[in-house]
Coordinates of all heavy atoms in Angstrom, one line a residue:
M196 N 1.9 3.4 -17.3 CA 0.8 4.0 -16.7 C 0.6 3.4 -15.3 O 0.7 2.2 -15.1 CB -0.5 3.6 -17.5 CG -1.7 4.4 -17.1 SD -1.5 6.2 -17.4 CE -2.8 6.8 -16.3
F197 N 0.4 4.2 -14.3 CA 0.2 3.7 -13.0 C -1.1 3.0 -12.8 O -2.1 3.3 -13.5 CB 0.2 4.9 -12.0 CG 1.5 5.6 -11.9 CD1 1.6 7.0 -11.8 CD2 2.7 4.9 -12.1 CE1 2.8 7.6 -11.8 CE2 4.0 5.6 -12.1 CZ 4.0 6.9 -11.9
N198 N -1.2 2.0 -12.0 CA -2.4 1.3 -11.8 C -3.1 1.8 -10.5 O -2.7 1.4 -9.4 CB -2.1 -0.2 -11.6 CG -3.3 -1.0 -11.6 OD1 -4.4 -0.5 -11.4 ND2 -3.2 -2.3 -11.8
L199 N -4.1 2.7 -10.7 CA -4.7 3.3 -9.5 C -6.0 2.7 -9.1 O -6.7 3.1 -8.3 CB -4.9 4.8 -9.8 CG -3.7 5.5 -10.2 CD1 -4.0 7.0 -10.5 CD2 -2.6 5.5 -9.2
T200 N -6.4 1.6 -9.8 CA -7.7 1.0 -9.6 C -7.7 -0.3 -8.9 O -8.7 -1.0 -8.7 CB -8.5 0.8 -10.9 OG1 -7.7 0.0 -11.8 CG2 -8.7 2.2 -11.6
R201 N -6.5 -0.8 -8.4 CA -6.4 -2.1 -7.8 C -7.2 -2.0 -6.4 O -7.0 -1.0 -5.7 CB -5.0 -2.5 -7.5 CG -4.2 -2.6 -8.8 CD -2.9 -3.2 -8.6 NE -3.0 -4.7 -8.4 CZ -2.0 -5.5 -8.4 NH1 -0.8 -5.1 -8.6 NH2 -2.2 -6.8 -8.3
P202 N -8.0 -2.9 -6.2 CA -8.9 -2.9 -4.9 C -8.1 -2.7 -3.7 O -8.5 -1.9 -2.8 CB -9.6 -4.2 -4.9 CG -9.6 -4.6 -6.4 CD -8.4 -4.1 -7.0
K203 N -6.9 -3.3 -3.6 CA -6.1 -3.2 -2.3 C -5.6 -1.8 -2.2 O -5.4 -1.3 -1.1 CB -4.9 -4.2 -2.4 CG -5.3 -5.6 -2.1 CD -5.8 -5.8 -0.7 CE -6.0 -7.3 -0.4 NZ -6.4 -7.6 1.0
L204 N -5.3 -1.1 -3.3 CA -4.8 0.2 -3.2 C -5.9 1.2 -2.8 O -5.6 2.1 -2.0 CB -4.2 0.6 -4.6 CG -3.5 2.0 -4.7 CD1 -2.3 2.0 -3.8 CD2 -3.1 2.2 -6.1
V205 N -7.1 1.0 -3.3 CA -8.2 1.8 -2.9 C -8.5 1.6 -1.4 O -8.7 2.5 -0.6 CB -9.4 1.4 -3.7 CG1 -10.7 2.2 -3.2 CG2 -9.2 1.8 -5.2
T206 N -8.4 0.3 -0.9 CA -8.7 0.0 0.5 C -7.6 0.7 1.4 O -7.9 1.2 2.4 CB -8.6 -1.6 0.7 OG1 -9.6 -2.2 -0.1 CG2 -8.8 -1.9 2.1
L207 N -6.4 0.6 0.9 CA -5.3 1.2 1.7 C -5.5 2.7 1.8 O -5.3 3.3 2.9 CB -3.9 0.9 1.0 CG -2.7 1.4 1.7 CD1 -2.6 1.0 3.2 CD2 -1.4 1.0 1.0
A208 N -5.8 3.4 0.7 CA -6.0 4.8 0.7 C -7.1 5.2 1.6 O -7.0 6.2 2.4 CB -6.3 5.3 -0.7
E209 N -8.2 4.4 1.5 CA -9.4 4.7 2.4 C -9.0 4.5 3.9 O -9.5 5.3 4.7 CB -10.5 3.9 2.0 CG -11.2 4.3 0.7 CD -12.3 3.4 0.2 OE1 -12.5 2.3 0.8 OE2 -13.0 3.8 -0.8
A210 N -8.2 3.5 4.1 CA -7.8 3.2 5.5 C -7.0 4.4 6.1 O -7.0 4.6 7.3 CB -7.0 1.9 5.6
E211 N -6.3 5.1 5.2 CA -5.4 6.2 5.6 C -6.2 7.5 5.6 O -5.7 8.6 5.8 CB -4.2 6.3 4.7 CG -3.3 5.1 4.8 CD -2.7 5.0 6.2 OE1 -2.3 6.1 6.8 OE2 -2.5 3.9 6.7
G212 N -7.5 7.5 5.2 CA -8.3 8.7 5.2 C -8.4 9.4 3.9 O -8.9 10.6 3.9
Y213 N -8.0 8.8 2.8 CA -8.0 9.5 1.5 C -9.2 8.9 0.7 O -9.4 7.7 0.5 CB -6.7 9.2 0.8 CG -5.5 9.9 1.4 CD1 -4.8 9.2 2.4 CD2 -5.1 11.1 0.9 CE1 -3.7 9.8 2.9 CE2 -4.0 11.7 1.5 CZ -3.3 11.1 2.5 OH -2.2 11.7 3.0
A214 N -10.0 9.8 0.2 CA -11.1 9.4 -0.7 C -10.5 9.2 -2.1 O -11.1 8.4 -2.9 CB -12.2 10.5 -0.8
D215 N -9.4 9.8 -2.5 CA -8.8 9.7 -3.8 C -7.4 9.1 -3.7 O -6.5 9.5 -3.0 CB -8.7 11.1 -4.4 CG -8.4 11.0 -5.9 OD1 -7.7 10.1 -6.3 OD2 -8.8 11.9 -6.6
V216 N -7.2 8.0 -4.5 CA -5.9 7.3 -4.5 C -4.8 8.2 -4.9 O -3.7 8.2 -4.4 CB -6.0 6.1 -5.4 CG1 -4.6 5.5 -5.6 CG2 -6.9 5.0 -4.8
V217 N -5.1 9.1 -5.8 CA -4.0 10.0 -6.3 C -3.5 11.0 -5.2 O -2.3 11.2 -5.1 CB -4.6 10.9 -7.5 CG1 -3.6 11.9 -7.9 CG2 -4.9 10.0 -8.7
D218 N -4.4 11.5 -4.4 CA -4.0 12.3 -3.3 C -3.1 11.5 -2.3 O -2.1 12.1 -1.8 CB -5.2 12.8 -2.5 CG -6.0 13.8 -3.3 OD1 -5.5 14.4 -4.3 OD2 -7.2 14.0 -3.0
F219 N -3.5 10.3 -2.1 CA -2.7 9.4 -1.2 C -1.3 9.3 -1.7 O -0.3 9.4 -1.0 CB -3.4 8.1 -1.1 CG -2.6 7.0 -0.5 CD1 -2.4 6.9 0.8 CD2 -2.1 6.0 -1.4 CE1 -1.7 5.8 1.4 CE2 -1.3 5.0 -0.8 CZ -1.1 4.9 0.5
L220 N -1.2 8.9 -3.0 CA 0.1 8.7 -3.6 C 1.0 10.0 -3.6 O 2.2 9.9 -3.4 CB 0.0 8.1 -5.0 CG -0.7 6.7 -5.1 CD1 -1.0 6.4 -6.5 CD2 0.2 5.7 -4.4
E221 N 0.4 11.1 -3.9 CA 1.1 12.4 -4.0 C 1.7 12.7 -2.6 O 2.8 13.2 -2.5 CB 0.2 13.5 -4.5 CG 0.0 13.4 -6.0 CD -0.9 14.6 -6.5 OE1 -1.5 15.3 -5.6 OE2 -1.0 14.7 -7.7
D222 N 0.9 12.5 -1.5 CA 1.3 12.8 -0.2 C 2.5 11.9 0.3 O 3.4 12.3 1.0 CB 0.2 12.6 0.8 CG -0.7 13.9 0.9 OD1 -0.4 14.8 0.1 OD2 -1.6 13.9 1.7
Y223 N 2.5 10.6 -0.2 CA 3.6 9.7 0.3 C 4.7 9.4 -0.7 O 5.6 8.7 -0.4 CB 2.9 8.4 0.6 CG 2.1 8.5 1.9 CD1 0.7 8.6 2.0 CD2 2.8 8.5 3.2 CE1 0.0 8.7 3.1 CE2 2.1 8.6 4.4 CZ 0.7 8.7 4.3 OH 0.1 8.9 5.5
A224 N 4.6 10.0 -1.9 CA 5.6 9.7 -3.0 C 7.0 9.9 -2.5 O 7.9 9.2 -3.0 CB 5.3 10.5 -4.2
Q225 N 7.3 10.9 -1.7 CA 8.6 11.3 -1.3 C 9.0 10.9 0.1 O 10.0 11.2 0.7 CB 8.8 12.8 -1.4 CG 8.5 13.3 -2.8 CD 9.4 12.8 -3.9 OE1 10.5 12.4 -3.7 NE2 8.8 12.6 -5.1
C226 N 8.1 10.1 0.8 CA 8.3 9.7 2.2 C 9.3 8.5 2.3 O 9.3 7.7 1.4 CB 7.0 9.4 2.9 SG 6.0 10.9 3.0
S227 N 9.9 8.4 3.5 CA 10.8 7.3 3.7 C 10.1 6.1 4.3 O 10.6 5.0 4.3 CB 12.0 7.7 4.6 OG 11.5 8.2 5.9
V228 N 8.9 6.4 4.9 CA 8.0 5.3 5.4 C 6.6 5.6 4.9 O 6.2 6.7 4.9 CB 8.0 5.3 6.9 CG1 7.1 4.3 7.4 CG2 9.4 5.1 7.5
V229 N 6.0 4.6 4.3 CA 4.7 4.8 3.7 C 3.7 3.7 4.1 O 4.2 2.6 4.5 CB 4.8 4.8 2.1 CG1 5.9 5.8 1.6 CG2 5.1 3.4 1.6
P230 N 2.4 3.9 4.0 CA 1.5 2.9 4.3 C 1.6 1.7 3.4 O 1.8 1.9 2.2 CB 0.1 3.6 4.1 CG 0.4 5.0 4.3 CD 1.8 5.2 3.7
A231 N 1.5 0.5 4.0 CA 1.5 -0.7 3.2 C 0.3 -1.5 3.6 O -0.3 -1.4 4.6 CB 2.8 -1.5 3.5
I232 N -0.1 -2.5 2.7 CA -1.2 -3.3 3.0 C -0.9 -4.8 2.6 O -0.2 -5.0 1.7 CB -2.5 -2.8 2.2 CG1 -3.8 -3.6 2.7 CG2 -2.3 -2.9 0.7 CD1 -5.1 -2.9 2.3
C233 N -1.5 -5.7 3.4 CA -1.4 -7.1 3.1 C -2.2 -7.4 1.8 O -3.4 -7.1 1.8 CB -1.8 -7.9 4.3 SG -1.8 -9.7 4.0
I234 N -1.6 -8.1 0.8 CA -2.3 -8.3 -0.4 C -3.0 -9.7 -0.4 O -3.6 -10.1 -1.4 CB -1.4 -8.2 -1.6 CG1 -0.2 -9.1 -1.5 CG2 -1.0 -6.7 -1.8 CD1 0.3 -9.6 -2.8
A235 N -2.9 -10.4 0.7 CA -3.7 -11.7 0.8 C -5.2 -11.4 0.6 O -5.7 -10.4 1.2 CB -3.4 -12.4 2.1
P236 N -5.9 -12.3 -0.1 CA -7.3 -12.0 -0.4 C -8.2 -11.8 0.9 O -9.1 -11.1 0.9 CB -7.8 -13.2 -1.2 CG -6.5 -13.8 -1.7 CD -5.4 -13.5 -0.7
D237 N -7.8 -12.5 1.9 CA -8.7 -12.6 3.1 C -8.1 -11.7 4.2 O -8.5 -11.8 5.4 CB -8.8 -14.0 3.6 CG -7.5 -14.6 3.9 OD1 -6.5 -14.1 3.4 OD2 -7.4 -15.7 4.5
C238 N -7.2 -10.8 3.9 CA -6.5 -10.0 4.9 C -6.3 -8.5 4.4 O -5.9 -8.4 3.3 CB -5.2 -10.6 5.3 SG -4.3 -9.8 6.6
D239 N -6.7 -7.5 5.2 CA -6.5 -6.2 4.8 C -5.6 -5.4 5.9 O -5.8 -4.2 6.1 CB -7.8 -5.4 4.7 CG -8.5 -5.8 3.4 OD1 -7.8 -6.1 2.4 OD2 -9.7 -5.7 3.3
H240 N -4.7 -6.1 6.5 CA -3.8 -5.5 7.5 C -3.0 -4.4 6.9 O -2.4 -4.6 5.8 CB -2.9 -6.6 8.1 CG -2.0 -6.0 9.2 ND1 -2.5 -5.4 10.3 CD2 -0.7 -6.0 9.3 CE1 -1.4 -5.0 11.0 NE2 -0.3 -5.3 10.4
T241 N -2.9 -3.3 7.5 CA -2.0 -2.2 7.1 C -1.0 -1.9 8.1 O -1.1 -2.1 9.3 CB -2.8 -0.9 6.8 OG1 -3.5 -0.4 8.0 CG2 -3.9 -1.1 5.7
A242 N 0.2 -1.3 7.6 CA 1.3 -1.0 8.5 C 2.2 0.0 7.7 O 2.0 0.2 6.5 CB 2.1 -2.2 8.8
E243 N 3.0 0.7 8.5 CA 4.0 1.7 7.9 C 5.2 0.9 7.5 O 5.9 0.4 8.4 CB 4.3 2.8 8.8 CG 3.0 3.5 9.3 CD 2.6 4.6 8.4 OE1 3.4 5.4 8.0 OE2 1.4 4.6 8.0
L244 N 5.6 0.9 6.2 CA 6.8 0.2 5.8 C 7.6 1.0 4.8 O 7.2 2.1 4.5 CB 6.4 -1.2 5.2 CG 5.7 -2.2 6.1 CD1 5.3 -3.4 5.3 CD2 6.7 -2.7 7.2
E245 N 8.8 0.4 4.4 CA 9.6 1.1 3.5 C 8.9 1.3 2.1 O 8.1 0.4 1.8 CB 10.9 0.3 3.2 CG 11.6 -0.2 4.4 CD 11.1 -1.5 4.9 OE1 11.4 -2.5 4.3 OE2 10.3 -1.5 5.9
P246 N 9.1 2.3 1.4 CA 8.4 2.6 0.1 C 8.6 1.5 -0.9 O 7.7 1.2 -1.7 CB 9.1 3.9 -0.4 CG 9.6 4.5 0.8 CD 10.0 3.4 1.7
D247 N 9.7 0.7 -0.9 CA 9.9 -0.3 -1.9 C 9.6 -1.7 -1.4 O 10.0 -2.7 -2.0 CB 11.4 -0.2 -2.4 CG 12.4 -0.5 -1.3 OD1 12.0 -0.5 -0.1 OD2 13.6 -0.7 -1.7
Q248 N 8.9 -1.8 -0.3 CA 8.6 -3.1 0.3 C 7.6 -3.9 -0.6 O 6.6 -3.4 -1.0 CB 8.0 -2.9 1.7 CG 7.6 -4.2 2.4 CD 8.9 -5.1 2.6 OE1 9.1 -6.0 1.9 NE2 9.7 -4.7 3.6
R249 N 8.0 -5.1 -0.9 CA 7.2 -6.0 -1.8 C 6.8 -7.3 -1.1 O 5.9 -8.0 -1.6 CB 7.9 -6.4 -3.0 CG 8.2 -5.2 -4.0 CD 9.3 -5.5 -4.9 NE 9.8 -4.2 -5.5 CZ 9.2 -3.6 -6.5 NH1 8.3 -4.2 -7.2 NH2 9.7 -2.5 -7.0
A250 N 7.4 -7.6 0.0 CA 7.2 -8.9 0.6 C 7.4 -8.9 2.1 O 8.0 -9.7 2.7 CB 8.0 -10.0 0.0
G251 N 6.8 -7.8 2.7 CA 6.9 -7.6 4.1 C 6.1 -8.7 4.9 O 5.0 -9.2 4.4
F252 N 6.5 -9.0 6.1 CA 5.8 -9.9 6.9 C 4.5 -9.3 7.5 O 4.5 -8.3 8.1 CB 6.7 -10.4 8.1 CG 6.1 -11.4 9.0 CD1 5.9 -12.7 8.5 CD2 5.6 -11.1 10.2 CE1 5.3 -13.7 9.4 CE2 5.0 -12.0 11.1 CZ 4.9 -13.3 10.6
C253 N 3.4 -10.0 7.3 CA 2.1 -9.5 7.8 C 1.9 -10.1 9.2 O 2.0 -11.3 9.4 CB 0.9 -10.0 6.9 SG -0.7 -9.6 7.6
E254 N 1.7 -9.2 10.2 CA 1.6 -9.6 11.6 C 0.2 -10.3 11.9 O 0.1 -10.9 12.9 CB 1.7 -8.4 12.5 CG 3.1 -7.8 12.4 CD 3.3 -6.5 13.2 OE1 2.3 -6.1 13.8 OE2 4.4 -6.0 13.3
V255 N -0.7 -10.1 11.0 CA -2.0 -10.7 11.2 C -2.2 -12.1 10.6 O -2.6 -13.0 11.3 CB -3.1 -9.8 10.6 CG1 -4.5 -10.5 10.6 CG2 -3.2 -8.5 11.4
C256 N -1.8 -12.3 9.3 CA -1.9 -13.6 8.7 C -0.6 -14.4 8.6 O -0.6 -15.5 8.2 CB -2.6 -13.5 7.3 SG -1.6 -12.7 6.1
G257 N 0.5 -13.7 8.9 CA 1.8 -14.4 9.0 C 2.4 -14.7 7.6 O 3.3 -15.5 7.6
R258 N 1.9 -14.1 6.6 CA 2.5 -14.4 5.3 C 3.3 -13.2 4.8 O 3.1 -12.1 5.3 CB 1.3 -14.6 4.2 CG 0.7 -15.9 4.3 CD -0.5 -16.0 3.4 NE -1.7 -15.4 4.0 CZ -3.0 -15.6 3.7 NH1 -3.2 -16.5 2.8 NH2 -3.9 -15.0 4.3
P259 N 4.3 -13.4 4.0 CA 5.2 -12.3 3.5 C 4.5 -11.6 2.4 O 4.9 -11.6 1.2 CB 6.4 -13.1 3.0 CG 5.9 -14.4 2.5 CD 4.7 -14.7 3.4
S260 N 3.3 -11.0 2.7 CA 2.5 -10.4 1.6 C 2.2 -8.9 1.8 O 1.2 -8.4 1.2 CB 1.2 -11.2 1.6 OG 0.6 -11.4 2.9
M261 N 3.0 -8.2 2.6 CA 2.8 -6.8 2.8 C 3.5 -6.1 1.6 O 4.7 -6.3 1.4 CB 3.4 -6.3 4.1 CG 2.8 -6.9 5.3 SD 1.1 -6.4 5.6 CE 1.3 -4.6 5.9
K262 N 2.7 -5.2 0.9 CA 3.3 -4.4 -0.1 C 3.0 -2.9 0.2 O 1.9 -2.6 0.6 CB 2.7 -4.8 -1.5 CG 3.3 -6.0 -2.2 CD 2.6 -6.1 -3.6 CE 2.8 -7.5 -4.1 NZ 4.0 -7.7 -4.8
S263 N 4.0 -2.1 -0.1 CA 3.7 -0.6 0.1 C 2.8 -0.1 -1.0 O 2.6 -0.7 -2.1 CB 5.0 0.1 0.0 OG 5.3 0.6 -1.3
G264 N 2.1 0.9 -0.6 CA 1.1 1.5 -1.6 C 1.8 2.0 -2.9 O 1.2 1.9 -4.0
L265 N 3.0 2.4 -2.8 CA 3.7 2.9 -4.0 C 4.1 1.7 -4.9 O 4.0 1.8 -6.1 CB 5.0 3.6 -3.6 CG 4.9 4.8 -2.7 CD1 6.2 5.5 -2.5 CD2 3.8 5.8 -3.1
V266 N 4.4 0.5 -4.3 CA 4.7 -0.6 -5.1 C 3.4 -1.1 -5.8 O 3.4 -1.4 -7.0 CB 5.2 -1.8 -4.2 CG1 5.3 -3.1 -5.0 CG2 6.7 -1.4 -3.8
I267 N 2.3 -1.2 -5.1 CA 1.0 -1.6 -5.6 C 0.6 -0.7 -6.8 O 0.1 -1.2 -7.8 CB -0.1 -1.6 -4.6 CG1 0.2 -2.7 -3.5 CG2 -1.5 -2.0 -5.2 CD1 -0.7 -2.6 -2.3
A268 N 0.9 0.6 -6.7 CA 0.5 1.5 -7.7 C 1.4 1.5 -8.9 O 1.1 2.0 -10.0 CB 0.5 3.0 -7.2
G269 N 2.5 0.8 -8.8 CA 3.5 0.7 -9.9 C 4.4 1.9 -10.0 O 5.1 2.1 -11.0
M270 N 4.5 2.7 -8.9 CA 5.4 3.8 -8.9 C 6.8 3.5 -8.6 O 7.7 4.3 -8.9 CB 4.9 4.9 -7.9 CG 3.5 5.4 -8.2 SD 2.9 6.5 -7.0 CE 4.0 8.0 -7.1
I271 N 7.0 2.3 -8.1 CA 8.4 1.8 -7.7 C 8.7 0.5 -8.4 O 7.8 -0.3 -8.4 CB 8.6 1.7 -6.2 CG1 8.6 3.1 -5.6 CG2 9.9 1.0 -5.9 CD1 8.8 3.1 -4.1
Ligands
ZN281 ZN1 -2.1 -10.5 6.1

């Protein structure tokens, strides 16, 4: 089962202009570059990264904590 209720995933979808996480995931499921968000508790930086990114470098907090929305949802 996909995890669509994680706060970071909701934050990321809203940052991209989606009221519904499912719409966000459907639009990006087949893309080669997708929105990612920093999963550090005190940081909500977003960027466009590879769909399978799990430990991307965050330009704001400097930690390897960028995850793509598809990874956070458990789709990859
Ligand atoms: Zn960060």
Side-chain angles (χ1 to χ4, degrees):
M196 193 62 198
F197 298 142
N198 189 344
L199 305 179
T200 58
R201 300 191 76 167
K203 286 290 185 178
L204 188 57
V205 174
T206 301
L207 180 58
E209 287 176 349
E211 296 295 321
Y213 291 87
D215 190 332
V216 169
V217 173
D218 291 339
F219 165 78
L220 293 172
E221 284 180 349
D222 276 4
Y223 286 102
Q225 304 299 327
C226 293
S227 58
V228 177
V229 306
I232 190 167
C233 177
I234 55 149
D237 56 344
C238 185
D239 282 331
H240 180 58
T241 62
E243 304 276 308
L244 295 173
E245 313 86 76
D247 62 348
Q248 182 59 258
R249 291 160 199 275
F252 180 75
C253 175
E254 295 175 357
V255 172
C256 70
R258 284 173 282 203
S260 49
M261 296 293 293
K262 279 186 199 273
S263 92
L265 303 188
V266 168
I267 295 173
M270 293 176 70
I271 291 182

